[in-house]
Amino acid sequence: MKAITLYDVALLAGVSYQTVSRVINDAEHVSARTREKVQQAMAELNYVPNRGAQQLAGKRTRTLGLITTDLALHAPSQIASAVKTRAVEKGASVLISMVEHPQRCQAAVQELLAQRVDGLLVNVPLEDTEAEQLRALASPVPVLFLDVSPSAQVNSLVFDAAQGAQLGAEHLISLGHQRIALLNGPESSVSARARRVGWLASLTQAGLEPAGVAFGDWSAASGYEKGHQLISGPALPEAILVANDQMALGVMRACAEKGIAVPGQISVVGFDDTTDSAWFSPPLTTVRQAFREAGERSVEWLLTAYSGNECWQTQLPVTLITRHSSARRTSQQADREDLARQLKTLALLAEQLARE
């Protein structure tokens, strides 16, 4: 079967070979009508541009590189899916490099640059200096980061994790809960640290003390393990804010094993609003992050980015989705709190009498 060439596309579209080449390389000075004719001819002939030849010629390939953490986790996989989908819609392709540790990012950048990508998206938690080094390494190829702090001198598109944690904590406080624990992500994660800041700010504003903190690795298994720790202390938390929905699933399993009712004895709030969180038992109250929008906007920027020295950070909004895993503090919980306070007072009195 004869291979379809640019000349075949040009003949069917009624334009020159050079015009077809300009359309494929997304060059300027091509009218919308001409571009549409060429794209229709390409579709009719099932013509696929030869990316390898474009690379050898040193031309733009409309190929993006995505460096990401474990795609078994919900958030990275949703963003990767959105990036791939929007890139295809824009006539671009995506090369994905999955790294286990931030230290592998430099090697991943070099590998993707060797394949002449036109832009890089980095969805790995990085400290400021790490991100800035990657930006310098990739220059002049544009790089967009999804998990860095506002102080990093790079271009970034992030969710307002602190605001999300505040929404979750304030929701629990509004339900009357006073003993609110946090199951956070790893301390190495910039967004996890921001969640802790937001949680603490809400407790401080309400005059409440933290009821406990644990750190997981975003997996349901770590939620189960750390959840057991949080509910096995001398005083049961009234509520737990969990830094992602997968860990919240593990927490709810731990509560079920201990015979602790959710939300009857403990309210649970997650973070992400995964596609499955509405089907948890009970359905999970959570903080929604629009992962699809993040992926789509990343592609839009990378395909239109220009070189410049100005660095910016855009924060995407988050919203609270209330379901059935959180409920108003019960009189039984209040009674337990009163009893605990009374016992603490009696213990102090006994200690004072013993000294006398």
Side-chain angles (χ1 to χ4, degrees), residues 283-325:
L284 184 66
T285 295
T286 185
V287 177
R288 174 178 291 167
Q289 300 190 104
F291 296 125
R292 184 151 298 278
E293 179 186 353
E296 292 172 349
R297 288 182 61 172
S298 297
V299 171
E300 300 285 349
W301 183 80
L302 287 170
L303 290 178
T304 58
Y306 61 91
S307 298
N309 295 322
E310 292 285 333
C311 291
W312 51 265
Q313 179 171 89
T314 296
Q315 287 193 323
L316 296 174
V318 292
T319 52
L320 180 72
I321 307 299
T322 56
R323 297 194 180 102
H324 303 308
S325 66

Side-chain angles (χ1 to χ4, degrees), residues 169-220:
E170 288 166 5
H171 167 69
L172 291 168
I173 292 168
S174 73
L175 294 174
H177 298 302
Q178 297 180 1
R179 291 184 47 77
I180 303 172
L182 173 69
L183 173 49
N184 206 6
E187 294 181 88
S188 60
S189 169
V190 173
S191 58
R193 295 201 296 265
R195 284 166 170 77
R196 190 170 189 269
V197 168
W199 167 73
L200 279 174
S202 294
L203 295 188
T204 300
Q205 188 174 4
L208 301 176
E209 292 293 328
V213 182
F215 300 91
D217 63 7
W218 304 119
S219 69

